[in-house]
């Protein structure tokens, strides 16, 4: 079967599209024929070697996939079941979805919800599932549309695009942040009520700024998150899920102790299964599939390696789906 394989090469790494045998697959009690996978920010980091994402070599990248069960020794799944996998270290410590077959633990799989197909589930992917976890985190903290506008950073990216569409579908006004002015029409089409230049969130953060938003979803970290926190309304909440701008947080405690702002961390990799199921049920119910299609681009398997560096340069919009065995 064909697969993208990352291996060590001197002081660096090599990556190639090659052929591997089923016997080379790692341990797991469920064998899945991969229908679709995706290209995510973490996949691009792994393929380019820009960050030490890969923990074991050789490695098949791909942090998520959808497909059909071929063999199962797990009580929860049988041959023919359609399934989704997101996270759990797949593509980092365990071979991932950029191959025609994957062998994984059945505990990591989620059944495909009714109302969406395997391609749509892949288009949603880890980015969309993370976006729903963020939206649900805001809702758990009591945020409602009546409280005001919600700001979304990296809005033209995968997480941001789905978050914008989901929030708009739930009745929220969305301020979509992007560094690409050309994406304004795209973001308004997803439901953003206005588009904000990223430069407004990249200056030196103040301990407290003018209150502007009831809540936020941040994929960037660093000064973007620090500025966002300083401008959240009293009692508001920010769900943070990414570090595209950096792992640091040059903020003060002022938003937390003077305005009662909540910073809710969102992890999609090791997220408990109950929350995963709730997120996927919410996506099947609330995400406009027409808008999902608008934000989705299909990429041939053979072009994944070349596209990874473009992804990191900020030249990719929305979601990328890779047909493997559709």
């Amino acid at each position: 079967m064909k697969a993208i394989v990352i291996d060590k090469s001197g002081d660096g790494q090599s990556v190639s599209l090659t052929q591997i045998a089923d016997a080379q697959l790692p341990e797991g009690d469920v064998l899945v024929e991969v229908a679709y996978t995706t290209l995510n920010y973490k996949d691009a980091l792994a393929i380019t070697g820009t960050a030490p994402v890969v923990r074991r070599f050789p490695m098949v990248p791909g942090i998520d996939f959808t497909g059909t069960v071929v063999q199962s020794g797990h009580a929860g799944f049988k041959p023919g079941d359609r399934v989704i996998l997101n996270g759990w270290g797949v593509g980092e410590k365990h071979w991932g979805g950029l191959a025609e077959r994957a062998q994984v633990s059945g505990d990591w799989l989620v059944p495909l919800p009714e109302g969406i197909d395997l391609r749509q589930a892949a288009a949603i992917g880890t980015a969309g599932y993370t976006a729903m976890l963020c939206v649900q985190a805001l809702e758990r903290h009591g945020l409602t549309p009546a409280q005001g506008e919600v700001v979304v950073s990296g809005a033209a990216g995968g997480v941001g695009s789905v978050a914008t569409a989901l929030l708009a579908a739930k009745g929220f006004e969305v301020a979509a942040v992007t560094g690409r002015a050309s994406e304004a029409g795209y973001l308004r089409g997803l439901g953003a009520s206005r588009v904000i230049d990223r430069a407004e969130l990249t200056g030196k953060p103040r301990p407290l700024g003018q209150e502007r938003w009831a809540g936020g979803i941040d994929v960037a970290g660093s000064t973007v998150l620090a500025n966002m926190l300083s401008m959240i309304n009293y009692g508001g909440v920010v769900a943070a899920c990414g570090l595209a701008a950096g792992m640091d947080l040059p903020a003060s405690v002022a938003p937390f102790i003077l305005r009662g702002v909540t910073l809710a961390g969102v992890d999609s990799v090791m997220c408990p299964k109950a929350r995963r199921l709730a997120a996927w049920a919410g996506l099947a119910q609330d995400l406009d599939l027409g808008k999902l299609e608008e934000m989705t681009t299909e990429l041939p398997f053979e072009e994944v390696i070349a596209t990874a560096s473009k992804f990191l340069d900020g030249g990719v919009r929305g979601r990328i789906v890779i047909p493997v065995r559709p």
Side-chain angles (χ1 to χ4, degrees):
M1 62 177 174
K2 65 181 178 181
I4 290 176
V5 178
I6 302 171
D7 210 345
K8 284 188 175 180
S9 176
D11 294 333
Q13 67 175 39
S14 62
V15 57
S16 62
L17 176 60
T18 186
Q19 293 286 325
I20 60 174
D22 281 9
Q24 294 176 260
L25 290 169
E27 291 184 3
D29 54 9
V30 179
L31 179 64
V32 179
E33 184 172 278
V34 177
Y36 296 92
T37 185
T38 64
L39 183 63
N40 296 279
Y41 185 76
K42 188 178 286 187
D43 299 321
L45 290 174
I47 291 168
T48 60
T50 305
V53 170
V54 176
R55 310 297 177 85
R56 298 175 184 172
F57 294 92
M59 177 58 58
V60 173
I63 65 171
D64 58 22
F65 61 79
T66 66
T68 303
V69 173
V70 177
Q71 297 173 6
S72 176
H74 189 281
F77 298 97
K78 63 184 185 303
D81 286 347
R82 295 180 298 169
V83 295
I84 301 167
L85 188 142
N86 306 107
W88 294 116
V90 167
E92 302 173 66
K93 297 181 289 186
H94 189 98
W95 285 14
L98 281 163
E100 292 183 305
R101 286 191 172 190
Q103 192 155 263
V104 297
S105 168
D107 292 341
W108 301 344
L109 297 171
V110 171
L112 182 74
E114 290 187 15
I116 57 176
D117 60 28
L118 290 172
R119 184 183 183 279
Q120 290 164 336
I124 294 168
T126 294
Y129 145 69
T130 303
M132 179 53 92
L133 289 175
C134 290
V135 171
Q136 291 178 335
L138 300 184
E139 292 177 327
R140 279 197 304 275
H141 283 83
L143 193 67
T144 65
Q147 291 171 275
E149 192 175 59
V150 176
V151 61
V152 177
S153 69
V159 175
S161 291
V162 179
T164 298
L166 284 170
L167 288 166
K170 288 174 172 285
F172 287 93
E173 291 189 349
V174 181
V177 179
T178 182
R180 293 176 276 171
S182 59
E183 301 291 9
Y186 164 74
L187 291 168
R188 290 194 179 93
L190 295 181
S193 42
R194 64 192 180 104
V195 179
I196 296 175
D197 190 325
R198 184 174 59 204
E200 293 188 31
L201 293 174
T202 55
K204 183 178 179 180
R206 297 179 179 179
L208 285 177
Q210 181 181 358
E211 294 178 67
R212 296 176 64 178
W213 304 296
I217 292 176
D218 177 61
V219 303
S222 194
T223 56
V224 174
L225 177 55
N227 275 299
M228 187 184 292
L229 287 167
S230 76
M231 292 183 274
I232 296 296
N233 297 349
Y234 189 94
V237 55
V238 173
C241 67
L243 46 70
M247 289 190 69
D248 61 318
L249 182 58
S252 78
V253 298
F256 311 117
I257 65 173
L258 298 179
R259 288 185 181 160
V261 171
T262 296
L263 176 58
V266 173
D267 165 60
S268 64
V269 177
M270 304 303 291
C271 181
K273 193 160 188 175
R275 283 198 175 172
R276 290 173 182 266
L277 292 170
W280 277 103
L283 286 158
Q285 174 180 306
D286 296 326
L287 184 59
D288 183 325
L289 296 179
K291 289 183 178 179
L292 176 66
E293 186 59 32
E294 289 175 16
M295 67 178 81
T296 301
T297 303
E298 216 166 85
L299 180 71
F301 206 114
E302 293 72 20
E303 296 179 19
V304 170
I305 296 172
T307 305
S309 58
K310 180 182 177 183
F311 197 109
L312 296 181
D313 292 338
V316 173
R317 168 205 282 181
R319 301 289 296 127
I320 296 178
V321 168
I322 301 153
V324 181
R325 285 185 173 179

